[in-house]
Amino acid sequence: MHDGLKIATIGGGSSYTPELVEGFINRADELPVRELWLVDIKEGREKLEVVGALAQRMVARAGNPFKVILTLDREAALKDADFVTTQFRVGQLDARAKDERIPLEHHVIGQETNGPGGLFKGLRTIPVILDIIEDMKRLCPNAWLINFTNPSGMVTEAILRYGNFPRAVGLCNGPIGIQRGIVQTLGVDPSRVFVEFQGLNHMVFARRVFLDGEDVTADVIESMIASNGDAISLKNIADYAWDPEFFRALGMIPISYLRYYFKTSAMLADGERALVEEGTRAQVVKRVEHELFDLYRDENLDVKPPQLAERGGAYYSEAACNLINSIYNDKRDIQTVNTRNNGAIRDLDPDSAVEVNCVITKQGPIPLTTGELPVSIKGLVQQIKSFERTAAKAAVTGDYRTALLAMTINPLVPSDIEAREILDELFEAHKDYLPQFYRDGVPVWKTAPRADAPNESADAGCGE
């Protein structure tokens, strides 16, 4: 690495960018950023210019020496970069609204990273992330890719299986939020607490909590039951309290996304109610973003506004900047990231992406062994991993039947018939962003099969 770091952020026009900028400013003493390149596509030019100007004002206010450069030229941004962060959304929020609305019209949960919506976000995103990786191989082969783009677990799975690029890590702010909630519940200094995480992205569990080396998991669960909550309430997920006896029986602290699987009927009803009363979550976020960008346009604003917390990105900068800082400085601390399993979870394929505690080194994350999954969650975790692997294969091959298989095996989809109905509607809704499935506007599954499809079995379920 040269004198000072060049960091490229793909999707730089995101409303989350001020979080990232603040994180780099706060770590200036040990993370010598020289240039931060914010890159977007032409459809995102206006947002890039607005958020980029705020980023430049934030840096100027802090008296930091690094430059913030705005560009639509991805290759220029990637050239000789040391770190590349990705936070883009193919099709923008309009695509997310379709991911959420169309399943709900079939009485199936519509959510952007779980179920049918997560499948189609992955189908749109994975080819783009793999294109970015090919650019990185040419332009910055020694850079680290830090992916925040959802569905982060599925995207990381695709990178590991099809990208042939080992310097990539998937990231989510969920585990940090859970850990913060646990520390708050215990009312102690964070340095006294260790949380063992085990699972997948958006399906992770705080399996054990230690205070000064003593296992206090049961005490934390009791405190959370008493407060009628869990470790963290995410802005995009209805905050239904866990049944106390179920919570005790589970014996672990689940991320809020587990409500989609353990409280399916209530979450579906909430989504259907919201669709009528306030619109999809994407429509709500659109309104929040409109207010945020009105704030960002204020030339007197030179700090991250507190309203950004309403966007749902709490601890984003902490997760991303801590990871970059630890890789660069070889800190060898423990963080929870999405990386190759390598035996950390015994019940999953060693090459699959998992979300576990890792020692973060200059050579990347080294996952800590967690052993077998508890039998109570083993089947669900393996089923979601089968879904992720099948979905990643569909995204790469452009094969309709593989996409149908992925849709059908997702536990939120009730049958193969409904799976195909939802699949076909979502394909039609998103065809402009799914070139691997279409040729000149004609679905490829109605023409000849592709000859370049990778030969990778989709049979990756229970017992792998």
Side-chain angles (χ1 to χ4, degrees), residues 154-180:
M154 187 192 300
V155 170
T156 306
E157 185 74 28
I159 293 170
L160 295 178
R161 292 195 178 274
Y162 303 108
N164 191 27
F165 189 78
R167 299 167 71 87
V169 186
L171 205 54
C172 181
N173 55 349
I176 286 183
I178 294 173
Q179 180 144 350
R180 287 287 189 89

Side-chain angles (χ1 to χ4, degrees), residues 20-187:
L20 192 66
V21 174
E22 181 185 67
F24 291 139
I25 289 172
N26 291 341
R27 292 163 179 78
D29 289 346
E30 53 183 347
L31 195 61
V33 179
R34 184 183 80 255
E35 295 175 350
L36 174 61
W37 287 63
L38 303 180
V39 58
D40 220 305
I41 58 176
K42 62 181 181 180
E43 292 83 356
R45 180 195 293 270
E46 181 182 358
K47 284 186 175 181
L48 176 64
E49 291 174 349
V50 172
V51 78
L54 171 58
Q56 290 166 340
R57 294 193 300 270
M58 290 173 66
V59 172
R61 180 182 186 272
N64 283 87
F66 69 86
K67 296 179 180 178
V68 177
I69 300 165
L70 316 182
T71 184
L72 302 181
D73 186 344
R74 191 170 84 193
E75 292 206 354
L78 292 177
K79 178 67 175 172
D80 298 325
D82 298 291
F83 290 91
V84 178
T85 70
T86 46
Q87 55 182 41
F88 59 89
R89 183 187 297 280
V90 178
Q92 302 180 313
L93 285 171
D94 287 340
R96 175 177 177 175
K98 295 172 185 177
D99 288 340
E100 294 168 337
R101 175 181 55 78
I102 290 171
L104 284 171
E105 292 174 347
H106 290 264
H107 306 294
V108 173
I109 285 175
Q111 206 276 335
E112 70 158 344
T113 63
N114 300 74
L119 170 62
F120 270 80
K121 191 170 189 201
L123 296 181
R124 297 192 304 273
T125 302
I126 287 169
V128 178
I129 203 83
L130 294 178
D131 281 347
I132 290 169
I133 285 174
E134 290 305 308
D135 286 347
M136 289 179 67
K137 290 176 183 177
R138 290 186 297 109
L139 300 167
C140 53
N142 295 318
W144 281 94
L145 173 67
I146 311 298
N147 176 64
F148 231 103
T149 299
N150 274 322
S152 186
M154 187 192 300
V155 170
T156 306
E157 185 74 28
I159 293 170
L160 295 178
R161 292 195 178 274
Y162 303 108
N164 191 27
F165 189 78
R167 299 167 71 87
V169 186
L171 205 54
C172 181
N173 55 349
I176 286 183
I178 294 173
Q179 180 144 350
R180 287 287 189 89
I182 290 171
V183 168
Q184 184 177 356
T185 298
L186 291 171

Side-chain angles (χ1 to χ4, degrees), residues 69 158 299 350 464:
I69 300 165
E299 294 182 357
E464 67 173 350

Side-chain angles (χ1 to χ4, degrees), residues 181-182 184-187 216-231 247-248:
I182 290 171
Q184 184 177 356
T185 298
L186 291 171
V216 295
T217 312
D219 296 334
V220 171
I221 289 172
E222 290 300 324
S223 295
M224 290 179 176
I225 290 172
S227 64
N228 200 38
D230 64 0
F247 204 173
R248 293 184 180 107

Side-chain angles (χ1 to χ4, degrees), residues 312-344:
Y315 316 124
Y316 167 45
S317 66
E318 182 173 344
C321 297
N322 278 356
L323 178 59
I324 291 171
N325 192 19
S326 292
I327 292 174
Y328 175 72
N329 287 300
D330 198 24
K331 288 202 165 189
R332 306 183 189 187
D333 56 347
I334 296 174
Q335 298 179 33
T336 309
V337 302
N338 289 264
T339 191
R340 194 181 301 275
N341 183 21
N342 282 341

